[in-house]
Amino acid sequence: MAELNYALNTDQLSELETMFLCLDKEQNSFIGVQELENFLLSWRKIVSIDDVKKLIKLSDVDKSGRVEFHLFSSVVVEFEKIFKAELYKELSSTFRKIDDNKTGFVKVEDVLTVFRTNEYSVSIDYVISIINQVNPSNNE
């Protein structure tokens, strides 16, 4: 993978370093390709296996089986882009499913039910805050 220069703030960089150190159990400044693949596959409910394989292939250009931090951070940033795109598709699909009367609006209770059906424990206040972020002109 060509070295990509992403503009990361200090908090983002620190978060990536923490993730990397958690995966680098042997503390040798690299992780194995298999460790990276396992990490990415843990998100496969949203991201496809094909996307994970593509990222793995790009992360080990020298075929050493090792991924250093700079490549790890590039892969995670690319992964995040894919994740956000897939999450948006998933949310859009879910919205269309719960918008029974096709008005372009959903009830707070319906959104809460979707979260709980997918085993997320969220409050009504949290759902309302999400709705307000998506639609600031919402009065409900």
Side-chain angles (χ1 to χ4, degrees):
M1 174 182 281
E3 193 166 334
L4 303 172
N5 294 318
Y6 293 105
L8 299 174
N9 66 37
T10 306
D11 290 339
Q12 292 168 319
L13 190 58
S14 176
E15 188 176 333
L16 285 173
E17 288 172 344
T18 300
M19 276 190 257
F20 185 80
L21 291 173
C22 286
L23 293 171
D24 183 16
K25 294 182 182 3
E26 296 166 7
Q27 297 181 346
N28 52 9
S29 300
F30 68 87
I31 60 172
V33 171
Q34 190 60 53
E35 291 167 304
L36 178 60
E37 183 174 3
N38 291 341
F39 169 73
L40 296 174
L41 284 173
S42 69
W43 295 92
R44 76 173 151 215
K45 184 174 183 180
I46 296 177
V47 178
S48 75
I49 292 173
D50 289 340
D51 286 333
V52 169
K53 289 182 186 245
K54 180 179 94 177
L55 290 171
I56 293 300
K57 183 178 179 183
L58 293 173
S59 70
D60 189 26
V61 290
D62 64 358
K63 306 293 185 229
S64 67
R66 300 167 25 154
V67 179
E68 288 79 17
F69 177 73
H70 71 281
L71 290 173
F72 171 79
S73 59
S74 295
V75 166
V76 171
V77 169
E78 286 299 314
F79 180 78
E80 184 178 23
K81 289 178 185 177
I82 294 168
F83 179 82
K84 285 181 179 179
E86 292 299 321
L87 182 59
Y88 179 79
K89 283 191 244 177
E90 184 72 25
L91 289 173
S92 295
S93 172
T94 300
F95 179 85
R96 285 190 299 277
K97 289 176 187 170
I98 61 175
D99 182 17
D100 293 335
N101 55 7
K102 308 298 180 217
T103 62
F105 296 95
V106 294
K107 296 177 187 167
V108 171
E109 296 82 19
D110 293 338
V111 175
L112 192 58
T113 300
V114 169
F115 275 109
R116 290 183 177 159
T117 300
N118 288 291
E119 301 178 14
Y120 292 103
S121 177
V122 296
S123 68
I124 290 176
D125 290 337
Y126 180 72
V127 171
I128 291 171
S129 74
I130 291 171
I131 291 169
N132 288 335
Q133 286 176 16
V134 173
N135 183 10
S137 64
N138 185 39
N139 294 328
E140 295 184 325

